[in-house]
Amino acid sequence: MRTFFSEDHRLHFPKGELSGGRFITPHERPARMEFILSRLRERGFPPVEAPGEADLTPARRILDEGFLHFLETAWDEWKAAGMEGEVIAAGMPTRRQRHDRIPRHIDGKVEYYCHASETAITRGTWQAALSSLASAQAAQAAVAGGERAAFALCRPPGHHATRDQYGGYCFLNNAAVVAEMFRMGGAARVAVLDIDFHHGNGTQDIFYRRGDVLFASIHGDPLDAYPYFAGFADETGEGEGEGANLNCVLGPGTGYGPWAEALDHCIARIRDFGAEALVVSLGVDAYKNDPISFFRLDSPDFLDAGRRIGRIGLPTVLVMEGGYAIEQIGVNTVNVLEGFADA
């Protein structure tokens, strides 16, 4: 399986993350990639390939143009306003406030376009996000060109980014853009399977009213886990998208047995949907020792999960998302890839 990866991910490394009322080194940090790269080499995967430049054409079909412009210019505008630190939202629009007008001041723009203040923008964030998207697009091009599957080792991740907001460490929704590229290439129906511990609220938001892309997610109950306000079982899609959104919600302490049952349910729905291509949001934070998860999966479980996904038999792009037990992230991620290949 070919892997696409850009060293430009290092351009995004915020100094801190607001967690538990204090600033800590972000859970989402460059070292995550080093453990995955090392494991890929250990297991004999082909050398990673650098992508070309990102193409925003498919992104513009599903993302808000004003949002893209904001991401590109936020750092420069923040600094021009005399802000000394990194770009961090001080608040967000609340209930019964106006959402139909975008503030002129950069501080207000940040609050408008952000949905989670743990996520900071730095000088290099936009370039890093573009490089992450480029890796996903290169993987899609490989699969569209005849490869059975390809792995996009993306950082920063993407599945929490909606059509017009960033947060949850995510800026551009890589998986959603890949799904749209498959549609642009002629696939009548595409499925996005999200196995990250946290609900892919951004991907759901982008495709919620569309019937040509199925979104299926296995995640921690949003009553107990981020993103808290999306990912409930009764969110099944709207309009043309009714029935094309599946949320498998699991509670604290969930082990592999119930998790695998949910995965099989998602796989059955993907088959019934008639998908012609598959995008996997590959988060491994369902691992038992992940610092921001409450599932109890062990490393061998990811091998079996990969086999189950591989048996779907569709052209597949696997897109890296979360996973914050850094010393085990390489083993868990590559286990999914090897299981997929075994199938």
Side-chain angles (χ1 to χ4, degrees):
M1 184 185 300
R2 296 166 67 185
T3 297
F4 297 89
F5 166 75
S6 173
E7 289 286 352
D8 280 355
H9 79 93
R10 300 179 186 280
L11 298 172
H12 173 71
F13 189 13
K15 295 177 181 178
E17 167 189 335
L18 185 61
S19 176
R22 62 192 180 95
F23 277 99
I24 63 171
T25 301
H27 292 294
E28 203 295 289
R29 63 186 77 160
R32 298 172 63 241
M33 300 296 99
E34 299 308 313
F35 284 93
I36 299 172
L37 291 168
S38 176
R39 186 63 174 177
L40 288 169
R41 289 191 294 267
E42 289 175 9
R43 300 300 294 172
F45 277 69
V48 298
E49 303 174 48
E53 296 292 322
D55 178 9
L56 286 175
T57 303
R60 288 191 168 99
R61 291 168 56 99
I62 58 174
L63 305 181
D64 178 74
E65 188 66 38
F67 174 55
L68 291 172
H69 179 72
F70 163 81
L71 290 176
E72 183 177 7
T73 61
W75 177 260
D76 288 341
E77 192 170 350
W78 183 259
K79 289 303 171 183
M83 307 297 195
E84 296 183 0
E86 295 172 341
V87 182
I88 299 175
M92 291 91 182
T94 62
R95 287 182 288 276
R96 292 173 296 284
Q97 287 187 329
R98 296 286 292 269
H99 295 75
D100 59 331
R101 297 185 183 183
I102 303 173
R104 277 193 293 264
H105 194 278
I106 183 59
D107 193 38
K109 288 180 185 177
V110 173
E111 295 186 12
Y112 180 84
Y113 284 116
C114 182
H115 64 68
S117 60
E118 88 289 282
T119 303
I121 293 176
T122 71
R123 180 187 299 276
T125 296
W126 174 242
Q127 187 57 46
L130 286 178
S131 75
S132 184
L133 177 62
S135 293
Q137 292 182 308
Q140 192 278 337
V143 173
E147 300 278 348
R148 179 195 175 208
F151 176 41
L153 183 49
C154 293
R155 181 184 176 271
H159 73 148
H160 292 307
T162 71
R163 65 176 299 274
D164 58 1
Q165 285 190 304
Y166 71 95
Y169 313 133
C170 302
F171 302 94
L172 296 173
N173 196 311
N174 303 308
V177 173
V178 168
E180 186 68 10
M181 290 174 69
F182 276 123
R183 285 288 292 114
M184 293 170 66
R189 290 190 163 199
V190 178
V192 180
L193 172 63
D194 193 323
I195 64 171
D196 191 282
F197 166 76
H198 303 93
H199 177 251
N201 58 297
T203 314
Q204 173 174 295
D205 172 73
I206 290 167
F207 295 119
Y208 200 65
R209 294 163 187 83
R210 287 176 52 170
D212 56 340
V213 178
L214 171 70
F215 177 66
S217 175
I218 311 164
H219 53 270
D221 192 329
L223 288 176
D224 300 301
Y226 180 87
Y228 298 112
F229 306 106
F232 296 95
D234 61 357
E235 296 164 10
T236 58
E238 291 181 356
E240 294 181 3
E242 178 60 47
N245 198 86
L246 173 63
N247 287 324
C248 294
V249 180
L250 301 171
T254 293
Y256 188 61
W259 193 94
E261 290 179 10
L263 176 60
D264 287 344
H265 181 51
C266 290
I267 290 170
R269 180 69 70 85
I270 290 168
R271 289 186 170 129
D272 291 344
F273 183 70
E276 298 174 10
L278 175 65
V279 184
V280 179
S281 274
L282 176 51
V284 293
D285 42 2
Y287 179 58
K288 62 183 181 180
N289 292 330
D290 196 279
I292 52 175
S293 159
F294 53 61
F295 287 171
R296 313 309 303 166
L297 273 63
D298 206 347
S299 293
D301 298 331
F302 290 101
L303 191 66
D304 183 67
R307 291 193 192 101
R308 293 175 190 239
I309 296 168
R311 292 188 193 116
I312 300 173
L314 291 173
T316 302
V317 174
L318 299 104
V319 179
M320 193 69 207
E321 302 285 3
Y324 309 102
I326 292 181
E327 292 185 359
Q328 205 66 19
I329 189 174
V331 171
N332 295 338
T333 300
V334 176
N335 276 2
V336 175
L337 303 181
E338 291 190 322
F340 185 98
D342 288 346

